Amino acid sequence: MRSFSAINPLRSYLSSFKSQGQSIGLVPTMGALHDGHKELVQNSLNENECTVVSVFVNKAQFNNPDDYSNYPDQVEKDLQILEALKCDVVFKPTDAIMYPSSTPLRFDFGPLETVMEGEFRPGHFSGVGLVVSKLLNIVTPDRAYFGQKDIQQCAVIKKLVADLNFPVDIRVVPTVRDKNGLALSSRNLLLTEEERIIASDIHGILSAARDMLLDKTNSISETKEVVIQRFKDHKDLNLEYFEVVSSQTLLPIKIIEEGEQTSLCIAAFIGNVRLIDNIYLFD
């Protein structure tokens, strides 16, 4: 596995793959790797001659300074994980490499900035758009891999790629969960074992809401009332939002249309740790 922290040496190394017509896959991460990241890397390894994993905690996408300062850091373990997976390249830039000077550049993703993550994390998607556009420009991959757990982020990145004409195929990989249903997340490292068990109730409530909607006797508004009440009754979890949205636009819907892809999205706190999850209405 080759490791780079500077941009030009990385580009020079990747140019040999491009000159031979070999495909490059990119897996952007902020480190604290888990089995969900491993799945992304494995997908890239299966589909490309060269896989690049970036490890960079992007301060620009954190609207909460405490969230940034508390983000898990396990660089040496991350490198061991990538080595074991037989990853080809790891890109570990510093803040100074990625942001050599302060930039006034901002992205606005329209309605996506006003709902769910956009509403509760102002400026978050601008930071995501900035770092992803930088990584796509640096690596120029054929394919880039993201997890379904961050479904709204995936929609933002797809819009970014389409609007800026990046020649890259965005691959969304299904969410990886532990045995009790909790969606794997780097922030899970901030939970105690007991809190991880409690946090699995988030997926349980999501699944129950899906069952209600599939029953077709419950409206979206009735289902939302039940979800809100379940969180009010839960002594350890605090709901931030629960929305039923179009899987294409990520905008809330009022009724479910036959044949339309629909997702159930949620964000909740256990203590000071914020977790998000989502499931499709129809598998």
Side-chain angles (χ1 to χ4, degrees), residues 235-277:
K235 66 183 181 67
D236 297 303
L237 294 174
N238 293 304
L239 180 67
E240 187 168 70
Y241 67 74
F242 168 71
E243 295 290 352
V244 180
V245 304
S246 162
S247 299
Q248 300 301 316
T249 67
L250 273 295
L251 298 180
I253 59 175
K254 294 182 178 180
I255 59 173
I256 295 170
E257 301 285 355
E258 286 293 331
E260 291 294 324
Q261 291 182 311
T262 304
S263 296
L264 285 66
C265 301
I266 200 165
F269 284 89
I270 177 166
N272 293 322
V273 181
R274 183 178 186 271
L275 301 175
I276 63 173
D277 199 356

Side-chain angles (χ1 to χ4, degrees), residues 175-201:
T175 302
V176 177
R177 302 180 181 278
D178 67 17
K179 61 183 179 182
N180 60 13
L182 177 64
L184 298 190
S185 167
S186 298
R187 288 179 174 83
N188 292 355
L189 293 174
L190 302 175
L191 303 175
T192 65
E193 284 301 316
E194 181 181 1
E195 287 174 330
R196 288 171 73 100
I197 295 171
I198 294 169
S200 67
D201 289 346

Side-chain angles (χ1 to χ4, degrees), residues 1 74-86:
M1 183 175 72
Q74 53 173 46
V75 175
E76 291 307 315
K77 183 178 179 181
D78 290 341
L79 294 177
Q80 292 172 7
I81 289 171
L82 295 174
E83 187 80 54
L85 288 170
K86 301 187 185 308

